[in-house]
Amino acid sequence: MRRLKLIQVLVILTCLAIIVRLFYWQFLAGIEKRTLQSFAEDEIPAPRGDILASDNFPLATNQEAYLIFATPKNLKDNPRDISRKLAPILITDKPATGSAFGLEGFYNSTVKGKPGKQNSSVDPQGVPIMTGKFSALSPKKGSTLITSIDRTIQFIAELKIKEAVEKYGAKDGTVIISDPKNGHVLAMATYPNYNPAFFGLYDQKLYKNLAVADNYEPGSTFKLVTMSAAMDLNLVTPQTKCDVCTGPRKVGGYEISTWNNKYYPDSTMTEVIEHSDNVGMTFVAGKLGVDKFVNYINKFGFGKKTGIDLEEETTGSIHDKRDWREIDLATGSFGQGLTVTPIQIVQAVQAIANGGQMFPPRLVQSVVDGGKTDSVKPPAAVQIISPQSATQMTEMMVNAVDHGEAQFFKPKGYRIAGKTGTAQIPVAGHYDPNKTIASFVGFAPAQNPKFVMLVRFTEPTASTFGAETAAPTFFAIAKELFNYYGISPSE
Amino acid sequence: MLPVSDFKYIATKSNLNINKPLTSLGYLPEWQSLGKVKIKLLLTLGAVLFCLFGTQLVFASNLSTGGEKLVSIEKEIQDQETENLKLKTQIAQSSSLSTLFNKAQSWGFEKPQKVISN
C-alpha cells in the first residue's frame, strides 16, 4: 500500500516536472529559433487597376505571369542548350511599357495599388505558423480607369487609317476624334503601331504616340487660327477684300506665293480660306501684327501642353514674340516656321466648333476605387474667341469644304466644316518640295458638331496634297460616324 | 467520501482513544486520513493541470495546422482569381470588334453602303 502511494506521488511529481519544464522552454527560455523554423516577411504585390473603354469593355487588364527558375545541380541537359531555348522568353533589353508611357504612365500612382505585407514564422516547408508572430495586411488593388474611348469609333479609326496609310504610301498616319462639347477623346489611332502585349517584338520607334508627342509644321490648317484671331479682333470680316492677292508677294526679302501659283485679286477672306491662299494670309497677318498674333497663338493653346492625360505629350515650338521677324509673321500665318502637335490642332478647332469655348482634351472620364466611382472633373472651358467669330469661321470652313479642292470627296447632303493642310517638311535648312505633311481638320455636322477630327499623313507618296489624301480619309471616317450616330443628311 | 470533520466526530462520540490505532474497528488513523486527502488534492490538481495542458496542446496544434489551411485557402482563392482573369481576357478577345469584323468577313457579310438614320 505504501509502495502504491509512493508510485502515485512519483507519477504526479513527474508530470508536474514535465509541465514546468515545457512552460520554461516555451515562454521563459527565449531561445533564438534557427534551423527548425524561420521568420518570413513577405510583400504581397497589389494587382494593377484595369483600363476600360466608355462602355466598360476592358482595354488593358491583368493576366497570369509565370516565374521560371531552376536549380543548376538538377539540370540534366547542356546548360548552353537550355539557355538558348529560354533566352527568347526571358531576356529582353526593351523597357516595359506598363508604367512608363501613355495613360498608364500618367495615372501610374492611381492604378498601381498598395502592396500588402505578411509577417509570420514559417516551418521548413514555408507554411506559416500562426502561433508565432503572425500578421497580415491585405494588398489594395489599384483603381480602375474608365476612358472616354468609344470602341466602335476607335475601331473605325484604326481600320481606316491603316487602309489609308497603305493606299497613299505614307510613312505614318494619325487620326484623332474628339467631342467638342467636353474635350473627351473618342478615338486616337496611329499607323504603323505595335501590340502592347508583345512590345518586345517591335521597333522602339513605334512606342511614340504621334498624336501627342510628334512636333510638325501644320501648314494651311493653321490658317484657321490666324483668321479666327483677326476676326475676333474685328480686323477683318468674311467679306473683307484682300488688296495684295494679285500675285506673289515679297516679304522681308523672301517671295511668298500660293501653292498652285493661282491668284485671285480682291478675294474675300472667305475665298482666301476656300483657295488656301498664302498671300491672302500674309494680308491678314499684316493686320494682326506680331504681338496680337502670338497672343492668340498662345490663347489657342500652342507652345504649351494641352494637359491631356497621356505621359509623353510635347509642346511644339513657338518662338518668343521678340524673336519674330517680318518673314516669320508671314510664314507663321499659313503654318510654316512653327511646330505644333496633332492634339493641339484638335484642341484649337474644338474651340471653333464649340462657339469659341475651348475644352482641354481628356481621356479618362472616371476612376473606380473599391466599388466607388468618381468622375474626373476637367478644367473649366475658356472662351478663346467670341461665339460670333466662331460662327463666322464655321461658315468659312463649310464653304472651304463645299468649294475648295477637297469638294469632290465630300459626302453629299452633309454640312461639314473643314480645312486642308499641306506643309513642306524642313530638311537641312530648306524645305523639301517632295516631302509633305498632309492633313485635314474639321467637324460635323457644322451646325451642331458631334465630333472634331484631324487626319494627318507623313510623307504620303501617292500624292503630296492634303486635299487628295487626308481629306478623302476624313470623309470616309465621317461617313461611318454619321451612320454610327444616326445623323441624317441635312441638305 | 466523508469530510475530515466526521472522523473527529466519530472518535469523540464513541469515547475512543483517538491516539489508538483503530484498524480493527474499520476506522483509519488520523495521519492516514490526512495523507488520503493530500493525495486526492494532488490528484485533482494534477488532473486540472493536465486538462489545461491538453487544451493548450490542442489549440497550439490547431494553430500550427491552421497555417497550412490558410495557405491552401489562399492558393484556392488565387487559382479562382487567375481563372476569372483568364476568362475575362478570353471574353474580351472573343467579343472585340476586330475579331467580330474578321469573323463577319469570313462568313460573307458585307458592310451596308447606305446611311441608316432615324
Side-chain angles (χ1 to χ4, degrees), chain B residues 68-114:
Chain B
E68 210 168 337
K69 278 183 202 161
L70 176 71
V71 166
S72 155
I73 291 168
E74 279 177 350
K75 187 175 180 311
E76 206 180 321
I77 292 171
Q78 204 174 342
D79 288 344
Q80 297 285 351
E81 281 177 350
T82 307
E83 187 62 26
N84 194 27
L85 265 176
K86 261 191 209 162
L87 290 170
K88 258 171 70 175
T89 311
Q90 270 176 19
I91 291 169
Q93 282 171 346
S94 302
S95 58
S96 77
L97 288 172
S98 50
T99 306
L100 295 173
F101 180 76
N102 291 336
K103 267 194 188 155
Q105 273 193 326
S106 68
W107 290 342
F109 283 91
E110 286 175 2
K111 238 170 32 150
Q113 295 304 315
K114 291 190 178 172

Side-chain angles (χ1 to χ4, degrees), chain A residues 89-146:
Chain A
I89 306 166
L90 297 177
I91 299 169
T92 174
D93 58 356
K94 308 270 171 71
T97 60
S99 60
F101 300 157
L103 208 52
E104 278 210 71
F106 192 91
Y107 286 102
N108 189 47
S109 57
T110 307
V111 299
K112 72 178 182 184
K114 272 192 197 149
K117 256 192 226 175
Q118 182 167 290
N119 300 328
S120 61
S121 301
V122 295
D123 67 12
Q125 278 77 42
V127 176
I129 298 171
M130 295 171 75
T131 50
K133 294 179 201 171
F134 179 83
S135 65
L137 179 67
S138 300
K140 185 173 176 288
K141 188 182 171 182
S143 303
T144 292
L145 308 177
I146 301 179

Side-chain angles (χ1 to χ4, degrees), chain A residues 162 204 301 394 420 457:
Chain A
K162 178 176 182 284
Q204 283 193 39
T394 300
T420 56
F457 295 113

Side-chain angles (χ1 to χ4, degrees), chain A residues 98-399:
Chain A
S99 60
F101 300 157
L103 208 52
E104 278 210 71
F106 192 91
Y107 286 102
N108 189 47
S109 57
T110 307
V111 299
K112 72 178 182 184
K114 272 192 197 149
K117 256 192 226 175
Q118 182 167 290
N119 300 328
S120 61
S121 301
V122 295
D123 67 12
Q125 278 77 42
V127 176
I129 298 171
M130 295 171 75
T131 50
K133 294 179 201 171
F134 179 83
S135 65
L137 179 67
S138 300
K140 185 173 176 288
K141 188 182 171 182
S143 303
T144 292
L145 308 177
I146 301 179
T147 65
S148 54
I149 295 289
D150 185 306
R151 270 201 303 145
T152 304
I153 299 177
Q154 179 69 28
F155 174 71
I156 292 168
E158 287 185 14
L159 193 67
K160 292 295 180 193
I161 201 69
K162 178 176 182 284
E163 280 174 5
V165 165
E166 287 166 359
K167 181 179 176 183
Y168 299 121
K171 208 167 140 192
D172 58 63
T174 301
V175 58
I176 304 172
I177 304 170
S178 69
D179 185 344
K181 294 195 169 49
N182 51 32
H184 281 151
V185 174
L186 303 171
M188 184 183 279
T190 300
Y191 187 82
N193 53 25
Y194 69 101
N195 186 343
F198 304 105
F199 67 93
L201 301 174
Y202 296 84
D203 190 338
Q204 283 193 39
K205 286 182 201 162
L206 293 174
Y207 297 172
K208 183 178 171 184
N209 184 354
L210 300 177
V212 301
D214 191 39
N215 295 335
Y216 74 108
E217 295 194 14
S220 297
T221 52
F222 204 75
K223 288 171 181 167
L224 300 173
V225 176
T226 313
M227 192 64 78
S228 297
M231 294 227 293
D232 197 48
L233 291 169
N234 293 318
L235 296 170
V236 297
T237 69
Q239 287 74 40
T240 301
K241 287 191 179 167
C242 170
D243 56 13
V244 298
C245 291
T246 51
R249 191 182 181 197
K250 278 209 169 17
V251 177
Y254 295 87
E255 185 179 88
I256 306 290
S257 59
T258 59
W259 65 275
N260 55 359
N261 288 318
K262 284 185 182 168
Y263 300 91
Y264 305 89
D266 291 330
S267 47
T268 63
M269 294 300 102
T270 302
E271 286 164 341
V272 164
I273 293 291
E274 177 191 322
H275 300 140
S276 201
D277 190 336
N278 292 344
V279 176
M281 292 314 300
T282 64
F283 168 79
V284 177
K287 297 256 179 212
L288 274 168
V290 170
D291 272 353
K292 293 190 180 100
F293 187 35
V294 174
N295 282 348
Y296 266 85
I297 288 175
N298 290 331
K299 264 178 96 173
F300 270 102
F302 296 102
K304 54 182 181 272
K305 292 184 183 181
T306 62
I308 189 171
D309 34 7
L310 289 170
E311 182 65 17
E312 67 269 56
E313 188 185 11
T314 56
T315 61
S317 173
I318 309 291
H319 298 308
D320 187 272
K321 54 174 93 165
R322 289 168 295 186
D323 299 329
W324 283 59
R325 300 165 297 159
E326 196 183 357
I327 186 61
D328 297 315
L329 178 62
T331 55
S333 70
F334 49 84
Q336 302 264 198
L338 44 84
T339 60
V340 302
T341 60
I343 194 66
Q344 286 172 336
I345 292 286
V346 169
Q347 180 181 241
V349 174
Q350 261 177 195
I352 297 171
N354 198 31
Q357 275 197 335
M358 188 169 81
F359 280 100
R362 277 283 177 274
L363 264 167
V364 171
Q365 51 185 11
S366 50
V367 177
V368 181
D369 185 24
K372 192 179 156 211
T373 304
D374 289 319
S375 296
V376 173
K377 244 187 159 182
V382 179
Q383 194 76 35
I384 306 296
I385 56 175
S386 66
Q388 187 192 1
S389 304
T391 305
Q392 285 172 332
M393 277 308 305
T394 300
E395 290 307 317
M396 288 164 84
M397 289 168 72
V398 171
N399 182 74

